[in-house]
Amino acid sequence: MPETGHDHRQAGSCFLNPTVTDDQARTLRSQGAPVHRTPLGTWRASTGWLLEACGYRPGTAITCGVSCYTHRTLTLTAQPSATTHSFHSALTTMAAHVLMATGVRLQAEPAAV
């Protein structure tokens, strides 16, 4: 992790790779999404791909003080103006865009604070 700069304060990967239905897996695969079958037989889609398909890119500003990491869309970074509310808003906004565009519901990664 960098010691200074835009990516200095990373919040880490913020969403789990979502479980998708057979139909969603077929649709996403036809669009080039990485989708894999788990050992339990369910399908999981790549959250990073879903976010990028919705227009999020490395370095994208999401809300006041919260941006995507410059090397990985799925990781969020906190700028000095970030607040708990701005992180919650960023996660809610990103998940809503993915749901609206793909029908796939993202789940925030569990965090112990």
Side-chain angles (χ1 to χ4, degrees):
M1 176 163 42
E3 293 184 23
T4 62
H6 179 82
D7 292 334
H8 174 64
R9 296 173 6 172
Q10 294 180 25
S13 174
C14 293
F15 292 105
L16 299 169
N17 284 333
T19 300
V20 295
T21 66
D22 290 342
D23 287 341
Q24 288 172 319
R26 271 191 296 282
T27 299
L28 290 169
R29 281 188 145 168
S30 75
Q31 297 169 2
V35 179
H36 68 276
R37 193 172 288 279
T38 71
L40 298 175
T42 59
W43 292 104
R44 289 219 179 244
S46 165
T47 298
W49 187 93
L50 290 165
L51 290 169
E52 290 193 11
C54 290
Y56 295 101
R57 299 283 183 265
T60 300
I62 310 299
T63 58
C64 182
V66 180
S67 299
C68 295
Y69 178 57
T70 59
H71 300 287
R72 186 172 179 235
T73 303
L74 182 57
T75 300
L76 297 184
T77 60
Q79 305 311 308
S81 60
T83 64
T84 301
H85 176 73
S86 61
F87 262 98
H88 177 65
S89 180
L91 294 173
T92 301
T93 297
M94 294 170 87
H97 285 156
V98 168
L99 181 61
M100 187 171 32
T102 68
V104 176
R105 188 175 306 279
L106 295 182
Q107 178 181 350
E109 183 110 22
V113 179

